[in-house]
Amino acid sequence: MLRNRLKELMSERNLKASRVANDIPNLSRNTINTVANNKGKMLQLETINSLCEYLEISPSDFFEYLPFDVDIKISTDEETSVTIADPYTTSYGMESFFLNLYITQKRNSQLSGYNSQTFELSILSPNRITFEHDKNFTDETKYSPDKIIYVWDVVIGNPPTEDKFAEQKAAFLNFWNNELTPGFQTMIQEEIRSKIIDFFNNEVIPNTEFLNWKSFYFRLNYRFDNSIYDFKNYPDGKIKIASTDFLDVPF
């Protein structure tokens, strides 16, 4: 894995992207932000050279490297279930659920060959999420979430592998605490969030266009001291959305 340290280097020097862009004519503020967030897949040598010269560092100070790669996958055990109610539904509820989170550490060396290990985690949405209809109850109005932000827990373990949990926990904590630097931990956390957004965009939102997902925000709480088995009634590994209340309509 390879990442640049531009964000940390700028922070150490109290530099803003706009100031760096002003001082380096051939780099735009958008380019600096893209590089600092490790978003771009291609980083030109000219850009690296300009930044290293400006910050008075060597490329070895600019980059951080670990001798392995990490893959992240998110899935559910079953397809999303959506129950479309009659037009007098006043709210929809998305029941508590968990997502499978698989983090795979991969090494491919000329001398030792290829090997990998996969860590099983879960992303928990512990409470029902309610989408309320607008009071005017017009057909054009979508159902909006009842909270500004939701907190989902990332925990170790994934049903039904409870018998392997102790071994999994020890291996994952060693990987997370001893093999990753804080910068790579942050990068993986950002990738997990991005994968969740991709999952909802591909698997959930296309079937629930009547819900106002633009007003839906979530925050991840990493609870590596807990496992999914600490939650006695952990939710199903399936996203279920159905009507919860109806408008009283005289017939």
Side-chain angles (χ1 to χ4, degrees):
M1 275 199 307
L2 185 68
R3 63 179 288 271
N4 70 73
R5 301 181 56 251
L6 181 57
K7 182 179 289 187
E8 295 100 304
L9 293 166
M10 289 170 56
S11 177
E12 290 168 1
R13 293 162 173 76
N14 294 316
L15 288 171
K16 295 181 179 179
S18 56
R19 170 62 189 273
V20 178
N22 180 72
D23 293 346
I24 307 179
N26 63 321
L27 294 183
S28 68
R29 181 167 60 89
N30 287 340
T31 297
I32 303 242
N33 283 327
T34 298
V35 174
N37 290 311
N38 282 276
K39 296 297 184 184
K41 292 187 177 181
M42 296 183 63
L43 188 53
Q44 296 182 356
L45 291 176
E46 181 183 357
T47 301
I48 300 170
N49 181 70
S50 296
L51 289 168
C52 287
E53 180 181 336
Y54 177 74
L55 297 169
E56 298 183 340
I57 59 172
S58 69
S60 61
D61 297 318
F62 185 77
F63 288 106
E64 183 177 21
Y65 170 75
L66 291 177
F68 54 81
D69 286 317
V70 172
D71 277 349
I72 297 169
K73 292 184 179 180
I74 288 175
S75 67
T76 54
D77 294 333
E78 302 178 52
E79 292 185 2
T80 299
S81 169
V82 180
T83 302
I84 307 296
D86 62 52
Y88 300 111
T89 297
T90 59
S91 66
Y92 278 85
M94 183 163 66
E95 300 298 329
S96 59
F97 63 89
F98 75 84
L99 299 176
N100 306 312
L101 170 59
Y102 301 108
I103 300 177
T104 301
Q105 180 188 30
K106 305 185 302 180
R107 301 177 189 269
N108 191 9
S109 166
Q110 179 187 4
L111 296 177
S112 57
Y114 177 86
N115 63 80
S116 66
Q117 60 175 335
T118 297
F119 307 105
E120 299 183 3
L121 296 90
S122 297
I123 300 166
L124 297 177
S125 173
N127 302 306
R128 169 191 280 181
I129 298 171
T130 301
F131 291 80
E132 305 267 348
H133 199 287
D134 185 83
K135 292 180 180 179
N136 295 325
F137 205 77
T138 59
D139 291 339
E140 293 78 13
T141 304
K142 294 187 176 183
Y143 298 79
S144 297
D146 60 344
K147 291 183 180 180
I148 297 177
I149 191 166
Y150 298 88
V151 179
W152 294 348
D153 295 324
V154 180
V155 297
I156 301 173
N158 186 272
T161 57
E162 186 172 4
D163 58 324
K164 302 178 182 178
F165 172 69
E167 179 182 346
Q168 275 272 336
K169 181 177 181 179
F172 175 76
L173 290 180
N174 178 68
F175 160 74
W176 188 264
N177 295 326
N178 300 327
E179 297 191 58
L180 294 176
T181 63
F184 278 110
Q185 289 175 353
T186 298
M187 191 171 78
I188 290 174
Q189 289 172 340
E190 291 173 351
E191 180 69 11
I192 290 172
R193 179 179 178 81
S194 177
K195 292 285 187 180
I196 293 173
I197 293 173
D198 289 344
F199 174 83
F200 269 78
N201 284 337
N202 295 326
E203 304 294 334
V204 180
I205 294 178
N207 299 319
T208 55
E209 294 180 350
F210 52 90
L211 301 181
N212 183 13
W213 291 102
K214 291 183 179 180
S215 299
F216 182 86
Y217 302 95
F218 68 91
R219 177 172 61 83
L220 296 177
N221 180 28
Y222 289 85
R223 302 178 58 180
F224 293 153
D225 54 330
N226 295 96
S227 80
I228 192 170
Y229 309 109
D230 294 331
F231 301 85
K232 295 181 179 179
N233 297 311
Y234 56 76
D236 291 335
K238 179 179 183 178
I239 297 177
K240 294 180 287 188
I241 300 173
S243 56
T244 56
D245 293 296
F246 300 90
L247 182 70
D248 291 331
V249 179
F251 291 97

